[in-house]
Amino acid sequence: MKSLHRPDLFCWSAFDLERNVDFNSIAWIRPQGNILIDPLPLSHHDFAHLNSLGGAAWIVITNSDHIRATREIAAHTGAKIAGPAAEKAGFPIPCDAWLEDGDELVPGLRVLTMNGSKTPGELALVLEETTLITGDLVRAHRAGSLMVLPDAKLTDRPAAVTSVRRLAQLSQIQTVLVGDGWSVFGSGNRHLEELAAAL
């Protein structure tokens, strides 16, 4: 796993040939139990690295298209699974917790609900007020520039725009870790404001 902007955050990725971008997964390493977000399959090297850091206590899935390797990793680590409450009725796998707007799975990890994306109640996560972790709605197919899903993928564009504008109001965000594409390290709030203004 690759070290990120904080010593307790790591990332691993897989290149998507259709979109020409990386799909990303995040690990937050914490003494009270590590948290994985939208986990892709782990290589033997990365699995050994994760195990050396204490495995995983929770897996957070931001939307049903990001199940990825959750089942396999949960089976190996014993991690509990949390998913978006708005998808509870039809979610593809069982979850131990259902997250909705304002929830805090663990101290320092706050949940925001993104409306209008391609799945109901997609989750965005605010880590200790300075790092935003997104699922599908906010992405970056070009370094240094955030974007949103194409209109054809959105279920409700006005609601999606409102969700992005809400993110732009998070004045303390320094880093935006995206599920798809290039993450933004530095001036995260400015990038979110520019994205919101362009919609």
Side-chain angles (χ1 to χ4, degrees):
M1 297 186 297
K2 297 169 283 190
S3 294
L4 294 178
H5 62 296
R6 299 171 30 151
D8 58 348
L9 286 176
F10 293 84
C11 172
W12 70 104
S13 307
F15 187 71
D16 181 72
L17 297 176
E18 181 181 348
R19 297 167 185 81
N20 285 319
V21 296
D22 284 333
F23 290 165
N24 304 309
S25 302
I26 305 297
W28 180 25
I29 308 305
R30 49 195 297 276
Q32 302 86 350
N34 301 333
I35 296 176
L36 309 182
I37 300 163
D38 292 341
L40 293 153
L42 286 155
S43 67
H44 292 299
H45 170 83
D46 286 342
F47 212 106
H49 188 190
L50 179 64
N51 285 336
S52 74
L53 295 170
W58 279 98
I59 295 172
V60 179
I61 305 167
T62 60
N63 66 77
S64 55
D65 285 342
H66 283 196
I67 299 292
R68 297 173 170 175
T70 293
R71 294 181 186 87
E72 297 81 1
I73 294 173
H76 280 91
T77 63
K80 294 180 179 180
I81 301 169
E87 289 198 77
K88 183 176 181 178
F91 208 64
I93 64 174
C95 288
D96 300 283
W98 297 101
L99 301 176
E100 53 191 357
D101 201 78
D103 286 346
E104 200 172 47
L105 180 66
V106 298
L109 191 65
R110 181 162 56 93
V111 173
L112 299 176
T113 297
M114 300 288 98
N115 298 312
S117 190
K118 62 182 178 179
T119 58
E122 178 182 312
L123 306 180
L125 304 167
V126 180
L127 175 59
E128 295 179 342
E129 300 306 318
T130 60
T131 297
L132 176 67
I133 303 168
T134 66
D136 270 328
L137 180 59
V138 175
R139 54 221 284 119
H141 289 199
R142 180 168 59 86
S145 178
L146 297 175
M147 60 183 287
V148 297
L149 277 168
D151 285 356
K153 296 270 189 174
L154 300 176
T155 57
D156 184 336
R157 189 178 193 280
V161 170
T162 298
S163 292
V164 173
R165 288 178 176 163
R166 183 183 180 202
L167 296 179
Q169 294 173 0
L170 301 173
S171 60
Q172 297 182 62
I173 296 298
Q174 300 167 8
T175 300
V176 182
L177 302 178
V178 296
D180 296 357
W182 296 83
S183 292
V184 170
F185 298 97
S187 303
N189 173 254
R190 177 175 60 79
H191 285 280
L192 289 166
E193 288 179 337
E194 290 173 355
L195 175 61
L199 294 175

